[in-house]
Amino acid sequence: MSQAEEKEISLEEQLSKLSLKDLKAQVTRNGHKSNRTSPLVLPVEVTNRIALDCEMVGIGPDGKDHMLARVSIVNEHGEVLVDCYVKPQEAVIDYRTEISGIRPEHVKQGAEFKTIRELVRQIIHGKILVGHALKNDLLVLNLRHPKYNIRDTSRFRPIAKKAGSFGTPSLKSIAYALLGEDIQDGSHDSVEDARAAMKIYRLFEKEWEKSAIPAWIGAMGSD
């Protein structure tokens, strides 16, 4: 076994033993800190309903494959739990700055992917996860979440119907139609997008939860 492999195993073992508190401290040290005075991971309530959104950059031969560059999580009140840039795991071909808002200097000092992935995994565990096109966010995080605990605003038909959308609506279109908010005016902001998804979910919460699979039934089906 090479020294690199030994180091990798050691890191995996270390991460598996870290508590959520330890991970928050590590991400705060290594992750991006904006010009705001707020710390990277805020000491706010981790509510039962949280919203997730990610920004991605392009990798692969043509830059069309996705890699995580920023992850944001807000609670049901819209308060920021996590807002962090993530170091590239491989060469970035396209930063997609016009859409993602990501620049090389943002991710250069970002958090390590394995650290932020484990932090997100622990935060979302057992929670109702809100977002828009969450499949894409979970994919770049290499995470899974029980379907019965996912509330995806791109897939709940009453949202599209009320917003007057046909097919799969964009978050921008339903935020404008239902909230009167003009988001994604220029590059995307994952905190803004997560907050918008949470607000939309809260508008439809009663109707949505009536049609949702109860957690205990969903858990039986996942065995």
Side-chain angles (χ1 to χ4, degrees):
M1 182 181 295
S2 68
Q3 289 184 345
E5 288 174 325
E6 289 179 354
K7 183 177 180 181
E8 188 73 14
I9 292 173
S10 176
L11 177 60
E12 290 285 354
E13 290 174 348
Q14 181 182 0
L15 281 171
S16 69
K17 295 175 182 177
L18 284 174
S19 67
L20 183 58
K21 181 179 179 181
D22 293 331
L23 284 164
K24 285 183 177 181
Q26 185 170 340
V27 173
T28 302
R29 289 195 301 270
N30 299 335
H32 166 74
K33 293 183 180 179
S34 68
N35 292 328
R36 297 169 298 180
T37 57
S38 306
L40 177 65
V41 180
L42 300 178
V44 298
E45 180 186 5
V46 182
T47 54
N48 188 52
R49 297 160 294 192
I50 56 177
L52 167 73
D53 191 79
C54 297
E55 300 299 343
M56 307 163 200
V57 292
I59 58 173
D62 53 7
K64 292 184 178 180
D65 294 330
H66 307 306
M67 182 173 65
L68 180 66
R70 181 183 176 188
V71 58
S72 301
I73 300 175
V74 303
N75 66 14
E76 64 185 51
H77 310 299
E79 298 169 321
V80 178
L81 289 163
V82 175
D83 183 24
C84 182
Y85 290 117
V86 182
K87 284 183 181 178
Q89 303 161 67
E90 57 183 273
V92 178
I93 303 302
D94 184 359
Y95 282 92
R96 306 172 181 173
T97 305
E98 290 185 2
I99 297 174
S100 70
I102 303 296
R103 298 181 183 278
E105 58 268 27
H106 292 152
V107 296
K108 184 178 181 180
Q109 299 299 323
E112 296 291 342
F113 174 79
K114 289 182 179 180
T115 300
I116 199 64
R117 177 186 179 276
E118 180 63 12
L119 174 63
V120 172
R121 186 190 68 79
Q122 291 199 35
I123 290 175
I124 71 175
H125 179 72
K127 306 298 184 185
I128 291 176
L129 184 62
V130 178
H132 193 84
L134 277 168
K135 178 181 179 180
N136 299 326
D137 299 310
L138 291 171
L139 188 62
V140 294
L141 281 161
N142 193 24
L143 289 173
R144 299 177 66 182
H145 199 67
K147 288 184 179 180
Y148 59 84
N149 269 347
I150 287 179
R151 305 293 183 267
D152 192 328
T153 55
S154 73
R155 299 179 63 85
F156 191 57
R157 295 311 305 165
I159 291 176
K161 184 177 180 180
K162 188 167 184 178
S165 299
F166 298 95
T168 302
S170 67
L171 181 60
K172 180 178 177 66
S173 67
I174 59 177
Y176 187 78
L178 302 178
L179 304 175
E181 295 183 5
D182 189 12
I183 66 171
Q184 300 175 356
D185 184 16
S187 60
H188 293 200
D189 182 321
S190 48
V191 170
E192 180 181 58
D193 290 355
R195 284 173 171 159
M198 178 59 76
K199 289 178 185 177
I200 292 166
Y201 163 74
R202 296 299 297 271
L203 287 177
F204 291 84
E205 182 178 1
K206 289 184 179 179
E207 179 181 1
W208 206 330
E209 294 308 319
K210 284 181 181 179
S211 63
I213 300 173
W216 67 271
I217 294 178
M220 289 176 61
S222 64
D223 290 340

